[in-house]
Amino acid sequence: MATLNKVMLIGNLTRDPELRYIPSGSAVVTFTVAVNRVYKTQTGEKKEQTSFIRVVVWGRRAEVCGEYLTKGSPVFVEGRLQSRDWETQDGQKRNTVEVIADKVQELRLAEDR
């Protein structure tokens, strides 16, 4: 059976990226992208829904994101979904789903360049 795990998002950063280095020396940056969806209800009323998606970027690409992206930056993100589980210090089980990005491109209008 074939499978596919591919994500493409366009949205805006909700805060500045958080760049850190793991003990092996690899860079990792995390940020959250707000993605809006506009739709109409059955009655024809226009509604907007915002999703907040956590994005993780590794290596040199992470360093570039940490250097150039800021809160509010419009970005295109391409990658894959990954889920992970952990246990907090007080024993509570947690899980999350995040995008592991292969590509992050800041979107700028022609007049911004």
Side-chain angles (χ1 to χ4, degrees):
M1 179 178 181
T3 64
L4 176 66
N5 184 351
K6 183 87 166 175
V7 174
M8 290 186 275
L9 303 168
I10 294 177
N12 296 80
L13 270 68
T14 61
R15 64 177 187 265
D16 290 342
E18 296 176 19
L19 176 64
R20 62 187 176 84
Y21 292 86
I22 62 173
S24 69
S26 294
V28 60
V29 74
T30 58
F31 53 87
T32 302
V33 176
V35 179
N36 297 323
R37 179 177 83 95
V38 178
Y39 63 97
K40 286 188 180 179
T41 65
Q42 289 181 350
T43 62
E45 181 184 1
K46 190 175 174 181
K47 294 240 178 178
E48 186 172 330
Q49 176 186 12
T50 303
S51 297
F52 300 93
I53 312 296
R54 181 179 162 91
V55 177
V56 180
V57 187
W58 290 90
R60 177 68 183 132
R61 189 172 290 116
E63 293 175 324
V64 171
C65 288
E67 184 175 345
Y68 291 104
L69 298 179
T70 58
K71 179 180 178 177
S73 294
V75 292
F76 168 74
V77 175
E78 187 175 340
R80 63 183 168 82
L81 289 177
Q82 177 176 291
S83 62
R84 59 186 175 91
D85 302 311
W86 73 96
E87 194 170 304
T88 64
Q89 290 181 341
D90 60 354
Q92 293 184 3
K93 293 185 180 196
R94 304 279 186 192
N95 62 37
T96 190
V97 175
E98 52 202 8
V99 174
I100 306 302
D102 299 320
K103 180 179 182 179
V104 178
Q105 182 175 342
E106 186 174 17
L107 301 176
R108 298 215 177 230
L109 299 174
E111 62 264 15
D112 290 343
R113 293 183 188 165

PDB file of all heavy atoms in Angstrom, residues 71-91:
ATOM      1  N   LYS A  71       8.733  37.610  13.750  1.00  0.00           N
ATOM      2  CA  LYS A  71       7.289  37.580  13.989  1.00  0.00           C
ATOM      3  C   LYS A  71       6.572  38.314  12.856  1.00  0.00           C
ATOM      4  O   LYS A  71       6.976  39.402  12.461  1.00  0.00           O
ATOM      5  CB  LYS A  71       6.972  38.246  15.318  1.00  0.00           C
ATOM      6  CG  LYS A  71       5.506  38.284  15.632  1.00  0.00           C
ATOM      7  CD  LYS A  71       5.246  38.957  16.956  1.00  0.00           C
ATOM      8  CE  LYS A  71       3.746  39.017  17.226  1.00  0.00           C
ATOM      9  NZ  LYS A  71       3.453  39.600  18.533  1.00  0.00           N
ATOM     10  N   GLY A  72       5.539  37.683  12.309  1.00  0.00           N
ATOM     11  CA  GLY A  72       4.769  38.290  11.232  1.00  0.00           C
ATOM     12  C   GLY A  72       5.261  37.953   9.834  1.00  0.00           C
ATOM     13  O   GLY A  72       4.559  38.219   8.857  1.00  0.00           O
ATOM     14  N   SER A  73       6.457  37.377   9.716  1.00  0.00           N
ATOM     15  CA  SER A  73       6.988  37.044   8.388  1.00  0.00           C
ATOM     16  C   SER A  73       6.045  36.091   7.649  1.00  0.00           C
ATOM     17  O   SER A  73       5.655  35.059   8.194  1.00  0.00           O
ATOM     18  CB  SER A  73       8.352  36.353   8.495  1.00  0.00           C
ATOM     19  OG  SER A  73       9.331  37.196   8.996  1.00  0.00           O
ATOM     20  N   PRO A  74       5.691  36.428   6.403  1.00  0.00           N
ATOM     21  CA  PRO A  74       4.906  35.482   5.603  1.00  0.00           C
ATOM     22  C   PRO A  74       5.853  34.420   5.036  1.00  0.00           C
ATOM     23  O   PRO A  74       6.922  34.755   4.505  1.00  0.00           O
ATOM     24  CB  PRO A  74       4.320  36.354   4.493  1.00  0.00           C
ATOM     25  CG  PRO A  74       5.262  37.504   4.377  1.00  0.00           C
ATOM     26  CD  PRO A  74       5.878  37.703   5.726  1.00  0.00           C
ATOM     27  N   VAL A  75       5.489  33.143   5.173  1.00  0.00           N
ATOM     28  CA  VAL A  75       6.370  32.064   4.732  1.00  0.00           C
ATOM     29  C   VAL A  75       5.594  30.971   4.003  1.00  0.00           C
ATOM     30  O   VAL A  75       4.404  30.764   4.225  1.00  0.00           O
ATOM     31  CB  VAL A  75       7.131  31.411   5.913  1.00  0.00           C
ATOM     32  CG1 VAL A  75       8.134  32.349   6.522  1.00  0.00           C
ATOM     33  CG2 VAL A  75       6.177  30.874   6.960  1.00  0.00           C
ATOM     34  N   PHE A  76       6.320  30.283   3.135  1.00  0.00           N
ATOM     35  CA  PHE A  76       5.877  29.037   2.517  1.00  0.00           C
ATOM     36  C   PHE A  76       6.693  27.938   3.166  1.00  0.00           C
ATOM     37  O   PHE A  76       7.926  28.030   3.220  1.00  0.00           O
ATOM     38  CB  PHE A  76       6.120  29.058   1.006  1.00  0.00           C
ATOM     39  CG  PHE A  76       5.955  27.706   0.364  1.00  0.00           C
ATOM     40  CD1 PHE A  76       4.697  27.162   0.171  1.00  0.00           C
ATOM     41  CD2 PHE A  76       7.066  26.974  -0.036  1.00  0.00           C
ATOM     42  CE1 PHE A  76       4.541  25.918  -0.415  1.00  0.00           C
ATOM     43  CE2 PHE A  76       6.926  25.730  -0.625  1.00  0.00           C
ATOM     44  CZ  PHE A  76       5.658  25.202  -0.812  1.00  0.00           C
ATOM     45  N   VAL A  77       6.040  26.919   3.695  1.00  0.00           N
ATOM     46  CA  VAL A  77       6.716  25.803   4.366  1.00  0.00           C
ATOM     47  C   VAL A  77       6.318  24.516   3.663  1.00  0.00           C
ATOM     48  O   VAL A  77       5.132  24.279   3.405  1.00  0.00           O
ATOM     49  CB  VAL A  77       6.314  25.719   5.861  1.00  0.00           C
ATOM     50  CG1 VAL A  77       6.919  24.487   6.517  1.00  0.00           C
ATOM     51  CG2 VAL A  77       6.714  26.980   6.601  1.00  0.00           C
ATOM     52  N   GLU A  78       7.326  23.697   3.362  1.00  0.00           N
ATOM     53  CA  GLU A  78       7.079  22.391   2.765  1.00  0.00           C
ATOM     54  C   GLU A  78       7.812  21.348   3.589  1.00  0.00           C
ATOM     55  O   GLU A  78       8.972  21.554   3.961  1.00  0.00           O
ATOM     56  CB  GLU A  78       7.580  22.375   1.327  1.00  0.00           C
ATOM     57  CG  GLU A  78       7.233  21.132   0.572  1.00  0.00           C
ATOM     58  CD  GLU A  78       7.644  21.215  -0.893  1.00  0.00           C
ATOM     59  OE1 GLU A  78       7.838  22.329  -1.416  1.00  0.00           O
ATOM     60  OE2 GLU A  78       7.753  20.143  -1.505  1.00  0.00           O
ATOM     61  N   GLY A  79       7.135  20.256   3.911  1.00  0.00           N
ATOM     62  CA  GLY A  79       7.774  19.217   4.712  1.00  0.00           C
ATOM     63  C   GLY A  79       6.851  18.041   4.936  1.00  0.00           C
ATOM     64  O   GLY A  79       6.014  17.727   4.092  1.00  0.00           O
ATOM     65  N   ARG A  80       6.991  17.430   6.122  1.00  0.00           N
ATOM     66  CA  ARG A  80       6.208  16.233   6.457  1.00  0.00           C
ATOM     67  C   ARG A  80       5.691  16.351   7.883  1.00  0.00           C
ATOM     68  O   ARG A  80       6.262  17.087   8.704  1.00  0.00           O
ATOM     69  CB  ARG A  80       7.055  14.975   6.315  1.00  0.00           C
ATOM     70  CG  ARG A  80       8.234  14.951   7.268  1.00  0.00           C
ATOM     71  CD  ARG A  80       9.115  13.714   7.063  1.00  0.00           C
ATOM     72  NE  ARG A  80      10.360  13.847   7.773  1.00  0.00           N
ATOM     73  CZ  ARG A  80      10.534  13.587   9.058  1.00  0.00           C
ATOM     74  NH1 ARG A  80       9.532  13.169   9.790  1.00  0.00           N
ATOM     75  NH2 ARG A  80      11.721  13.733   9.627  1.00  0.00           N
ATOM     76  N   LEU A  81       4.614  15.659   8.177  1.00  0.00           N
ATOM     77  CA  LEU A  81       4.077  15.617   9.532  1.00  0.00           C
ATOM     78  C   LEU A  81       4.815  14.569  10.351  1.00  0.00           C
ATOM     79  O   LEU A  81       5.179  13.514   9.835  1.00  0.00           O
ATOM     80  CB  LEU A  81       2.593  15.250   9.519  1.00  0.00           C
ATOM     81  CG  LEU A  81       1.627  16.299   8.990  1.00  0.00           C
ATOM     82  CD1 LEU A  81       0.212  15.732   8.995  1.00  0.00           C
ATOM     83  CD2 LEU A  81       1.696  17.564   9.814  1.00  0.00           C
ATOM     84  N   GLN A  82       5.026  14.888  11.621  1.00  0.00           N
ATOM     85  CA  GLN A  82       5.636  13.933  12.542  1.00  0.00           C
ATOM     86  C   GLN A  82       4.950  14.072  13.891  1.00  0.00           C
ATOM     87  O   GLN A  82       4.726  15.194  14.360  1.00  0.00           O
ATOM     88  CB  GLN A  82       7.131  14.203  12.695  1.00  0.00           C
ATOM     89  CG  GLN A  82       7.808  13.279  13.695  1.00  0.00           C
ATOM     90  CD  GLN A  82       9.302  13.516  13.738  1.00  0.00           C
ATOM     91  OE1 GLN A  82      10.005  13.208  12.784  1.00  0.00           O
ATOM     92  NE2 GLN A  82       9.773  14.077  14.827  1.00  0.00           N
ATOM     93  N   SER A  83       4.616  12.958  14.490  1.00  0.00           N
ATOM     94  CA  SER A  83       4.047  12.995  15.837  1.00  0.00           C
ATOM     95  C   SER A  83       5.099  12.491  16.813  1.00  0.00           C
ATOM     96  O   SER A  83       5.978  11.702  16.455  1.00  0.00           O
ATOM     97  CB  SER A  83       2.792  12.130  15.921  1.00  0.00           C
ATOM     98  OG  SER A  83       3.098  10.784  15.660  1.00  0.00           O
ATOM     99  N   ARG A  84       5.009  12.986  18.038  1.00  0.00           N
ATOM    100  CA  ARG A  84       5.928  12.506  19.070  1.00  0.00           C
ATOM    101  C   ARG A  84       5.223  12.557  20.417  1.00  0.00           C
ATOM    102  O   ARG A  84       4.317  13.361  20.638  1.00  0.00           O
ATOM    103  CB  ARG A  84       7.235  13.272  19.086  1.00  0.00           C
ATOM    104  CG  ARG A  84       7.141  14.743  19.317  1.00  0.00           C
ATOM    105  CD  ARG A  84       8.514  15.437  19.167  1.00  0.00           C
ATOM    106  NE  ARG A  84       8.339  16.861  19.293  1.00  0.00           N
ATOM    107  CZ  ARG A  84       8.416  17.532  20.433  1.00  0.00           C
ATOM    108  NH1 ARG A  84       8.669  16.895  21.540  1.00  0.00           N
ATOM    109  NH2 ARG A  84       8.236  18.834  20.468  1.00  0.00           N
ATOM    110  N   ASP A  85       5.642  11.660  21.296  1.00  0.00           N
ATOM    111  CA  ASP A  85       5.086  11.542  22.641  1.00  0.00           C
ATOM    112  C   ASP A  85       6.190  11.752  23.660  1.00  0.00           C
ATOM    113  O   ASP A  85       7.352  11.424  23.401  1.00  0.00           O
ATOM    114  CB  ASP A  85       4.506  10.137  22.859  1.00  0.00           C
ATOM    115  CG  ASP A  85       3.434   9.785  21.853  1.00  0.00           C
ATOM    116  OD1 ASP A  85       2.533  10.609  21.659  1.00  0.00           O
ATOM    117  OD2 ASP A  85       3.503   8.682  21.272  1.00  0.00           O
ATOM    118  N   TRP A  86       5.834  12.283  24.834  1.00  0.00           N
ATOM    119  CA  TRP A  86       6.763  12.420  25.934  1.00  0.00           C
ATOM    120  C   TRP A  86       5.986  12.465  27.237  1.00  0.00           C
ATOM    121  O   TRP A  86       4.761  12.585  27.237  1.00  0.00           O
ATOM    122  CB  TRP A  86       7.657  13.650  25.766  1.00  0.00           C
ATOM    123  CG  TRP A  86       6.978  14.966  25.992  1.00  0.00           C
ATOM    124  CD1 TRP A  86       6.961  15.699  27.143  1.00  0.00           C
ATOM    125  CD2 TRP A  86       6.217  15.717  25.044  1.00  0.00           C
ATOM    126  NE1 TRP A  86       6.237  16.850  26.965  1.00  0.00           N
ATOM    127  CE2 TRP A  86       5.767  16.889  25.686  1.00  0.00           C
ATOM    128  CE3 TRP A  86       5.861  15.520  23.715  1.00  0.00           C
ATOM    129  CZ2 TRP A  86       4.981  17.848  25.052  1.00  0.00           C
ATOM    130  CZ3 TRP A  86       5.083  16.478  23.086  1.00  0.00           C
ATOM    131  CH2 TRP A  86       4.664  17.618  23.750  1.00  0.00           C
ATOM    132  N   GLU A  87       6.715  12.368  28.321  1.00  0.00           N
ATOM    133  CA  GLU A  87       6.110  12.419  29.646  1.00  0.00           C
ATOM    134  C   GLU A  87       6.696  13.598  30.400  1.00  0.00           C
ATOM    135  O   GLU A  87       7.912  13.806  30.406  1.00  0.00           O
ATOM    136  CB  GLU A  87       6.394  11.109  30.396  1.00  0.00           C
ATOM    137  CG  GLU A  87       5.547  10.928  31.615  1.00  0.00           C
ATOM    138  CD  GLU A  87       5.674   9.539  32.206  1.00  0.00           C
ATOM    139  OE1 GLU A  87       5.441   8.553  31.475  1.00  0.00           O
ATOM    140  OE2 GLU A  87       6.021   9.472  33.393  1.00  0.00           O
ATOM    141  N   THR A  88       5.824  14.391  31.030  1.00  0.00           N
ATOM    142  CA  THR A  88       6.280  15.550  31.782  1.00  0.00           C
ATOM    143  C   THR A  88       6.918  15.104  33.088  1.00  0.00           C
ATOM    144  O   THR A  88       6.804  13.938  33.488  1.00  0.00           O
ATOM    145  CB  THR A  88       5.113  16.505  32.091  1.00  0.00           C
ATOM    146  OG1 THR A  88       4.176  15.828  32.934  1.00  0.00           O
ATOM    147  CG2 THR A  88       4.437  16.977  30.813  1.00  0.00           C
ATOM    148  N   GLN A  89       7.570  16.035  33.779  1.00  0.00           N
ATOM    149  CA  GLN A  89       8.227  15.707  35.049  1.00  0.00           C
ATOM    150  C   GLN A  89       7.239  15.216  36.100  1.00  0.00           C
ATOM    151  O   GLN A  89       7.600  14.434  36.970  1.00  0.00           O
ATOM    152  CB  GLN A  89       8.999  16.917  35.570  1.00  0.00           C
ATOM    153  CG  GLN A  89      10.223  17.229  34.745  1.00  0.00           C
ATOM    154  CD  GLN A  89      10.987  18.425  35.285  1.00  0.00           C
ATOM    155  OE1 GLN A  89      10.461  19.232  36.033  1.00  0.00           O
ATOM    156  NE2 GLN A  89      12.247  18.532  34.882  1.00  0.00           N
ATOM    157  N   ASP A  90       5.988  15.670  36.008  1.00  0.00           N
ATOM    158  CA  ASP A  90       4.987  15.210  36.974  1.00  0.00           C
ATOM    159  C   ASP A  90       4.212  13.981  36.484  1.00  0.00           C
ATOM    160  O   ASP A  90       3.180  13.622  37.038  1.00  0.00           O
ATOM    161  CB  ASP A  90       4.036  16.340  37.358  1.00  0.00           C
ATOM    162  CG  ASP A  90       3.267  16.909  36.180  1.00  0.00           C
ATOM    163  OD1 ASP A  90       3.535  16.506  35.037  1.00  0.00           O
ATOM    164  OD2 ASP A  90       2.382  17.758  36.410  1.00  0.00           O
ATOM    165  N   GLY A  91       4.718  13.319  35.425  1.00  0.00           N
ATOM    166  CA  GLY A  91       4.168  12.050  34.979  1.00  0.00           C
ATOM    167  C   GLY A  91       3.029  12.120  33.980  1.00  0.00           C
ATOM    168  O   GLY A  91       2.479  11.080  33.608  1.00  0.00           O
TER     169      GLY A  91
END
